Amino acid sequence: QVQLVESGGGLVQAGGSLRLSCAASGLVFSDYHMAWFRQAPGKEREFAASISKSGHATYYEDSVKGRFTISRDNAKNTVYLQMNSLKPEDTAVYYCAATGSSLYYTRPDAYNYWGQGTQVTVSS
C-alpha cells in the first residue's frame, strides 16, 4: 500500500519560511518523479514544483520560482519543499504527489499517488 505523508505545515508571518517534508512508503521511491501541489480555499489544486527521479532536474510554477526549492533524498524516501519569502497568497493545503510519467506534467490527473495534505497559513 502506497503512502505519502506530508508534515511541516503551520502558521507563519509574511516573509517567513517553512520546510515541508513528504515521506513515502510502499513504492520504489526512486522510480517516481515527485511534485508538490497546493489548493487554496475555493480554488482548484495547482502545481507548485516537481523533481526528477534522480533529483537532478526540477521544475517550478512561475509564482514560486526563486522562493521555493524542491529537493529529495532517495535514501530516506523523502521529498522536501523549502519555502522562503512566504506571502499571504501562498496560504493553501500543500500536497505531495508521485508520477511515473514526467516531471513536466502539471495536471493533477497525471499523478498516481497523493498524500493527505498539510496546511500552510501565511499571515499578513
Side-chain angles (χ1 to χ4, degrees):
Q1 179 183 356
V2 175
Q3 281 194 311
L4 302 178
V5 180
E6 301 96 335
S7 61
L11 173 65
V12 63
Q13 288 189 330
S17 298
L18 280 175
R19 188 194 196 206
L20 306 183
S21 300
C22 171
S25 61
L27 75 171
V28 180
F29 186 65
S30 57
D31 282 352
Y32 290 85
H33 307 294
M34 299 298 295
W36 288 93
F37 284 75
R38 60 186 184 179
Q39 188 166 17
K43 295 189 176 181
E44 293 187 350
R45 192 168 299 188
E46 66 173 12
F47 171 84
S50 61
I51 188 165
S52 63
K53 299 173 185 179
S54 65
H56 291 155
T58 57
Y59 184 58
Y60 296 93
E61 193 271 331
D62 285 347
S63 68
V64 308
K65 203 174 295 182
R67 300 188 299 121
F68 291 10
T69 302
I70 188 171
S71 61
R72 67 190 293 163
D73 185 337
N74 285 351
K76 295 183 178 180
N77 287 1
T78 301
V79 61
Y80 306 97
L81 186 68
Q82 177 67 44
M83 305 185 295
N84 298 329
S85 302
L86 282 161
K87 305 174 181 180
E89 51 263 43
D90 295 317
T91 295
V93 177
Y94 283 71
Y95 299 89
C96 71
T99 180
S101 300
S102 169
L103 83 158
Y104 299 111
Y105 286 171
T106 60
R107 296 190 339 266
D109 61 6
Y111 287 76
N112 306 98
Y113 303 109
W114 291 86
Q116 83 290 346
T118 186
Q119 176 71 47
V120 171
T121 303
V122 184
S123 64
S124 57

